[in-house]
Amino acid sequence: MAREKQLFSIYASLVGLAAAQFPTSCPAPPSRPNGTIGVCPNDFAIIGPSLEAVHEGVLAPTGLAIDPDLKLYLTYPRNAGATPNNVVICTSFTDEAPWPSAAIQNCTAGQDPSTCFINVQNIVLDSVSQLWVVDSGIPPGAASPVVSGAKIMSFALDGTLLSTYPIPEELLHDNLNLNDMRVNNTLGTKGYAFLTDASKPGSLLSVDLDTGCTSRRLFNTTYTRADEGYVGIYDGRQVYVWNGTHKSSITTSADGITLASGNLYWGVLASRRYYYISQAALVDPSLSDADLLSSHVRNPGQVGTEQAGFTADDTGRVYMLASEHNAIFYVDTLQSRVKETINGVPGGSSDPYELVAPDNYVVKTLVRSGLIQHADSAAVWDGWLYFCTNQLAFAPNRQYNNIEARRGPFRSYRVWIGAGPAV
């Protein structure tokens, strides 16, 4: 009997403790976000600084750029059908205008496809204030690019066309799907453009901006392909590809890309993997793909999320848009930026160019918020990181019976990071 009384006393104490810890009503966000942990249904951590909305529109963008005059540019791809404009400049919080002109937005019958937009995926500012567009050249409803349609084009800020680099026909095989790009204006004679190919096999491309010579590297390797049978998560729901009631998996391969600390960083969207490689090695014609794979590709470990766009700042920090977590992650690539001891290596370095060892990369969260509904592309300028959102996982091809589950308007935001763009 004494033992039973003792057990009852312990039980009563635990019940009383639980009653004291679990409130009868939960604080309503956002007045007290993160006020409790594991108590209320809304106990999901809001991390990082607040977001500032900079634009909203009725269509879902994939690409974003910001210029030195703080003008914002967006791209509206045609992967799921025609759009009136492929590239726009934001003229107010809710208004947009075709950029650089209305005439270039849609190819007309018989027009040279290298002179007009077919399916622009992103727009990017380089370090000499040129805006570049990457056009997959894949018309709505098609699987492959048209000859001379897959290209990159550079423009002055006033919209003047400066150059066009069509991807050679011999590189269009296996449904080449140009997705994103970055430019290093200092590499080689006139610089190089680097691109990701999001086709099922995946690859990386480089374009010599002096000669136009284009290479397609790491084609159909484990470093560019999606995970077999990949299933992602979005807002707590599993994500598949749907054709009516027929289910398949996402096969989007090499996607996000950025340049930092002399390297090219890229992610495989339908995975939780990212990699990096020396830019100089990638453009070296004396190195075969086997050489690159054996000695130059670096694997810093998993990023912990499906990723869309990447960007970087001038401190060597690489940012990944973490769609599965309504977040933006980052890694420091320069040892001087590291604060903690990792695997026995103390934080910091007197050498500003010392790189973090691949095994010592630690992915961290910059910001997490319910406002971040599939951040897709990002850019850095004047201390701010800008990004667009598009609710991609709610698009019809990722919904059972292909319903449209996205709910606009679609907003672009900025968040303070206190750094400039990578150079």
Side-chain angles (χ1 to χ4, degrees):
M1 180 63 70
R3 176 63 174 169
E4 290 177 353
K5 287 183 178 180
Q6 181 183 22
L7 291 174
F8 181 80
S9 176
I10 294 172
Y11 172 76
S13 298
L14 291 174
V15 170
L17 180 63
Q21 290 181 335
F22 280 73
T24 56
S25 63
C26 288
S31 60
R32 285 189 61 200
N34 311 331
T36 52
I37 299 176
V39 173
C40 302
N42 53 21
D43 280 343
F44 291 92
I46 299 171
I47 300 171
S50 60
L51 304 178
E52 179 183 341
V54 294
H55 184 74
E56 70 177 31
V58 297
L59 299 178
T62 60
L64 173 146
I66 187 80
D67 75 13
D69 296 321
L70 301 186
K71 294 176 182 176
L72 189 71
Y73 304 80
L74 298 172
T75 66
Y76 295 112
R78 292 159 175 163
N79 304 332
T83 58
N85 295 309
N86 223 177
V87 182
V88 301
I89 184 171
C90 302
T91 55
S92 74
F93 186 72
T94 55
D95 295 315
E96 304 165 353
W99 190 90
S101 68
I104 201 173
Q105 299 297 322
N106 296 277
C107 295
T108 57
Q111 185 174 358
D112 179 351
S114 70
T115 64
C116 48
F117 295 162
I118 297 175
N119 194 351
V120 173
Q121 300 295 304
N122 202 2
I123 181 168
V124 175
L125 182 75
D126 69 12
S127 62
V128 295
S129 295
Q130 297 177 127
L131 285 164
W132 293 79
V133 299
V134 52
D135 189 340
S136 73
I138 302 175
S144 302
V146 298
V147 176
S148 299
K151 58 189 176 290
I152 58 175
M153 308 170 78
S154 67
F155 296 87
L157 296 182
D158 65 4
T160 302
L161 176 63
L162 301 176
S163 58
T164 301
Y165 298 86
I167 304 301
E169 184 175 0
E170 63 268 22
L171 297 182
L172 303 183
H173 61 84
D174 294 273
N175 299 334
L176 174 77
N177 186 0
L178 300 182
N179 181 270
D180 204 352
M181 70 175 290
R182 292 295 184 271
V183 178
N184 182 342
N185 298 104
T186 66
L187 186 64
T189 303
K190 291 186 178 180
Y192 277 83
F194 297 94
L195 301 97
T196 48
D197 158 33
S199 67
K200 187 174 182 179
S203 64
L204 302 177
L205 287 84
S206 64
V207 181
D208 185 333
L209 301 180
D210 180 33
T211 65
C213 180
T214 304
S215 299
R216 190 177 180 188
R217 311 300 297 267
L218 305 184
F219 170 75
N220 197 30
T221 65
T222 55
Y223 299 95
T224 55
R225 287 195 309 264
D227 287 352
E228 190 71 27
Y230 176 79
V231 178
I233 294 288
Y234 187 75
D235 281 0
R237 301 184 179 101
Q238 287 72 22
V239 180
Y240 303 96
V241 172
W242 291 97
N243 182 6
T245 61
H246 179 76
K247 175 179 73 72
S248 59
S249 59
I250 301 169
T251 59
T252 308
S253 56
D255 189 282
I257 182 174
T258 199
L259 308 178
S261 307
N263 293 317
L264 180 156
Y265 290 79
W266 77 97
V268 177
L269 186 144
S271 79
R272 295 175 180 88
R273 296 177 284 117
Y274 73 116
Y275 305 98
Y276 66 95
I277 188 172
S278 161
Q279 297 168 42
L282 192 63
V283 303
D284 187 342
S286 71
L287 296 175
S288 67
D289 273 16
D291 294 330
L292 296 179
L293 291 170
S294 64
S295 303
H296 296 279
V297 173
R298 298 288 181 260
N299 180 0
Q302 295 211 357
V303 70
T305 181
E306 173 184 304
Q307 331 101 54
F310 281 31
T311 194
D313 67 27
D314 56 5
T315 72
R317 181 166 285 181
V318 170
Y319 302 88
M320 306 96 142
L321 306 187
S323 52
E324 289 190 295
H325 297 277
N326 307 97
I328 298 174
F329 292 171
Y330 70 89
V331 292
D332 287 315
T333 68
L334 295 176
Q335 185 62 33
S336 59
R337 291 279 291 174
V338 177
K339 306 300 182 185
E340 309 91 347
T341 296
I342 306 295
N343 294 332
V345 179
S349 173
S350 59
D351 179 358
Y353 302 106
E354 181 183 353
L355 300 178
V356 175
D359 289 345
N360 295 346
Y361 273 57
V362 176
V363 181
K364 297 183 178 181
T365 302
L366 171 73
V367 61
R368 181 182 188 236
S369 169
L371 299 175
I372 305 176
Q373 292 294 325
H374 191 96
D376 203 311
S377 291
V380 174
W381 192 262
D382 200 23
W384 296 90
L385 187 151
Y386 293 77
F387 63 94
C388 61
T389 65
N390 60 24
Q391 302 174 30
L392 178 63
F394 290 155
N397 72 330
R398 299 190 180 186
Q399 296 294 308
Y400 183 77
N401 265 335
N402 304 122
I403 63 170
E404 174 59 88
R406 291 173 294 185
R407 296 291 180 267
F410 300 92
R411 282 195 163 185
S412 297
Y413 297 91
R414 69 179 187 175
V415 60
W416 181 255
I417 58 171
V423 293

